[in-house]
Amino acid sequence: MANVAVIGAQWGDEGKGKIVDWLSERADVICRFQGGHNAGHTLVIDGEVYKLHALPSGVVRGGKLSVIGNGVVLDPWHLVQEIETIRAQGVDITPETLMIAENTPLILPFHGELDRAREGQNSVAKIGTTGRGIGPAYEDKVGRRVIRVADLGDDATLMLRVDRALVHHNALRAGLGLEPVDRDGLIAQLKEIAPKILPYAAPVWKVLNERRRAGHRILFEGAQGALLDIDFGTYPYVTSSNVIAGQAATGVGIGPGAVDYVLGIVKAYTTRVGEGPFPTELHDGDGQRLGERGHEFGTTTGRKRRCGWFDAALVRQTCVTSGVNGIALTKLDVLDGFETLKICVGYDLDGTMLDYLPTAADQQARCVPVYEEMPGWTESTEGARSWADLPAAAIKYVRRIEELIACPVALLSTSPEREDTILVTDPFSD
């Protein structure tokens, strides 16, 4: 049985939540493999809106196992609150339906404080973080001083881990003008939250191996987008983890051969939240129209997203770095009514044509997008569920995107509703 990894192929906010939820009907296990609760997925199911941040999108479907993998950094207090919120909407979440890897790193209150203090005092160039502690938690993970889920089960280990972390953090806090962390208060908080988290803890790597051998279909769910990848994104305006598909394996403890198909989620135009380069960004009426029609506000932060034309050069780039087999094109309906559409096919860098975005920040800043224009359409594509429902100009636009990014469209989404989806190729098919 095929196992599928889903990644965002732009700067996030591509509509992964709906696509993962749609695919989860065909899956037995749904795994989050990176990121933190800075990610936000909005699902609309039978008119009910679910907003998820830490929980995998599969939790809203009954009979599935949802997994938070070790590649995630987890705020335990936020998770408990999110579970309570989703339960209040009628979704049953138990240790039988939700599993957390024992080696998952925890986001602690001082991580968020450090994140916000740094961003507030950075007069050189703000990164545009959500201030939720994701970056500092990943720093502690690679610095070998993070507290992990399994540590909550033993007081002696927990105190040792806390002391190790505070040696580092209290020195940092002094430099930023912050008071030292209240050690005893933090330990008391962790002991209080532990019994609410530990029932979900499990050796995820072992469980997934057993499920795979039993022929169960596994769906790997990424957060953010590949252009925010710590290595291949627009550094330093990136997230603190690897977002590309290769992380699906290490983020849950399963071999790379277990990922049979990579599905890249791509918006029919381009958006970005926060700081950083954005070659096709629009500051005119077209950009405003895209934002208003697409309801472009962040699920997590409520921040307005920057909007621009579709950038085929960037998506082609992320399809290569993630080994994307097919894309799910979302929000096609937002383009309804535009007389002319533009697609970025490359960049002019000081008179030289490039078909990719260079790594050097100064070169990125000098890249001028080269556009190809296509006629738009006046008919509505909202709610279309077959190719026959689409205007000819919309089909031509989709086909041209396929050509430019050298990757086929597997799914086409035409509204936030789960069933308003055109299936071209089932990623789970062998």
Side-chain angles (χ1 to χ4, degrees), residues 362-377:
D362 65 311
Q363 293 181 1
Q364 289 179 352
R366 300 200 309 275
C367 280
V368 177
V370 177
Y371 287 114
E372 180 178 297
E373 293 190 356
M374 296 191 69
W377 53 89

Side-chain angles (χ1 to χ4, degrees), residues 9 264 266 310-320 324 326-329 343-344 398-409:
V266 178
F310 186 84
D311 193 329
L314 276 179
V315 174
R316 182 171 58 246
Q317 194 168 324
T318 57
C319 284
V320 171
V324 173
I327 67 167
L329 191 66
I343 301 175
C344 175
V398 173
R399 293 305 188 199
R400 185 56 180 150
I401 284 176
E402 288 182 312
E403 292 173 355
L404 290 170
I405 67 173
C407 192
V409 170

